[in-house]
Amino acid sequence: MGKGKLAKFAEMETFENVFQYPHSVIEQVPFEMKGHWRDQYFKNNHPIVLELGCGKGEYTVGLAKLFPHINFIGVDIKGARMWTGAKQAIEQGLANVAFLRTNIELIDRFFGQDEVQEIWLTFSDPQMKNVRKRLTSTYFMNRYRCFLVDGGLIHLKTDSNFLFTYTLAMVDNNQLPIVQSTGDLYHTTDMDEATKQILSIQTYYESMWIARGLNIKYLKFKLPRNGMLEEPDIEIPLDDYRSYHRSKRSGKTVGK
């Protein structure tokens, strides 16, 4: 690990808005604030919105600025990236922001029933080879149900045609109510001004995808608490890229 990352990790230990519970820690030290984020950290009764896979925290911080009466929590395992958003939130005096460094598959250990109102998934790894790792899979939907209010909102913003197509199929297969869907976000004209303002926040990776001429896709749907969820049986063409500098990992041309 480079000196820069070590310095960021050391500084994060002093940040009051960061909670670090990776898998190795949560197994030994239970998270006692589960179900009590509002009264023990935020000191208010405002709604809580999560950004899962928050990276540098651009969306978490951006949303917090737009909505001072909503609490936002960015979640990611990569602390060196998270440091950027956490530091910005402190420097800008954003009391409605927190960051949780943990493995997202453990997310249900940190929030109590009905504690969260919305979830944002911004440019998540499409995980084309492993459905259980996709943040919009039924595996994760069942975890979100443990703490998301009944009918709570899930937002997906992605450059990945694979992830967008898969998520639409998952939503359709389980008859989850769609609130908004577009395959070309920045050329969609039927959105209200408030939604446009929210969706105009751009992450580091999004700016790169736009520069490459890729369409940004957006899906907002509701997640009811009850009912069995089933994976869609569908073959989807793989994205022809994996990230800005790397080609796709899989040699296959379609995935499920």
Side-chain angles (χ1 to χ4, degrees):
M1 185 180 296
K3 291 183 179 179
K5 285 188 176 181
L6 288 174
K8 289 178 179 179
F9 274 110
E11 188 174 12
M12 283 230 300
E13 292 287 348
T14 70
F15 290 173
E16 294 185 355
N17 64 348
V18 175
F19 300 86
Q20 302 194 66
Y21 282 81
H23 198 286
S24 58
V25 174
I26 193 64
E27 292 296 334
Q28 304 297 326
V29 184
F31 188 71
E32 296 182 353
M33 203 163 62
K34 177 179 179 178
H36 298 282
W37 281 87
R38 290 184 181 88
D39 57 277
Q40 293 186 12
Y41 177 76
F42 291 112
K43 310 297 183 183
N44 61 47
N45 197 35
H46 299 161
I48 291 178
V49 176
L50 305 185
E51 183 191 3
L52 302 183
C54 67
K56 295 184 178 182
E58 298 103 322
Y59 241 82
T60 301
V61 172
L63 288 170
K65 291 179 183 179
L66 288 176
F67 304 100
H69 298 298
I70 297 177
N71 302 317
F72 295 91
I73 303 173
V75 184
D76 209 308
I77 190 57
K78 297 182 178 178
R81 293 180 184 176
M82 181 181 290
W83 171 88
T84 301
K87 191 173 182 65
Q88 286 178 352
I90 291 173
E91 291 176 343
Q92 296 174 26
L94 298 174
N96 61 329
V97 175
F99 287 90
L100 173 63
R101 189 173 80 85
T102 193
N103 306 80
I104 296 179
E105 60 266 28
L106 305 175
I107 193 66
D108 52 320
R109 301 192 188 190
F110 297 92
F111 300 94
Q113 184 174 341
D114 294 330
E115 193 167 21
V116 174
Q117 278 64 49
E118 299 183 28
I119 293 173
W120 278 86
L121 305 171
T122 51
F123 298 91
S124 307
D125 188 329
Q127 296 288 349
M128 294 182 284
K129 296 176 66 176
N130 191 339
V131 65
R132 282 173 64 89
K133 290 186 176 181
R134 285 174 214 154
L135 296 188
T136 57
S137 68
T138 58
Y139 174 81
F140 277 101
M141 292 297 139
N142 283 319
R143 272 167 165 66
Y144 304 155
R145 281 175 159 181
C146 295
F147 54 81
L148 191 65
V149 297
D150 189 17
L153 292 174
I154 295 182
H155 307 257
L156 172 68
K157 193 178 183 186
T158 183
D159 60 286
S160 169
N161 185 66
F162 180 92
L163 184 60
F164 185 68
T165 303
Y166 163 78
T167 307
L168 278 174
M170 187 281 296
V171 166
D172 181 66
N173 192 59
N174 293 288
Q175 300 182 346
L176 306 181
I178 293 178
V179 179
Q180 185 86 45
S181 176
T182 174
D184 190 359
L185 176 63
Y186 293 111
H187 293 92
T188 298
T189 59
D190 61 346
M191 289 186 178
D192 60 84
E193 289 303 316
T195 302
K196 288 180 181 179
Q197 187 179 24
I198 294 170
L199 296 175
S200 68
I201 301 171
Q202 291 186 6
T203 69
Y204 169 74
Y205 287 105
E206 179 175 5
S207 63
M208 292 196 302
W209 303 137
I210 292 174
R212 294 180 68 191
L214 297 176
N215 289 339
I216 304 302
K217 303 155 185 66
Y218 173 68
L219 176 64
K220 176 166 64 173
F221 61 95
K222 296 181 180 181
L223 180 61
R225 177 168 297 151
N226 298 320
M228 182 177 293
L229 298 176
E230 296 182 353
E231 281 294 320
D233 185 13
I234 180 175
E235 291 190 345
I236 307 169
L238 300 180
D239 297 330
D240 59 3
Y241 62 95
R242 178 58 187 82
S243 70
Y244 187 60
H245 296 292
R246 293 179 294 173
S247 61
K248 63 188 179 184
R249 292 176 182 168
S250 175
K252 298 179 181 179
T253 58
V254 295
K256 286 193 173 184

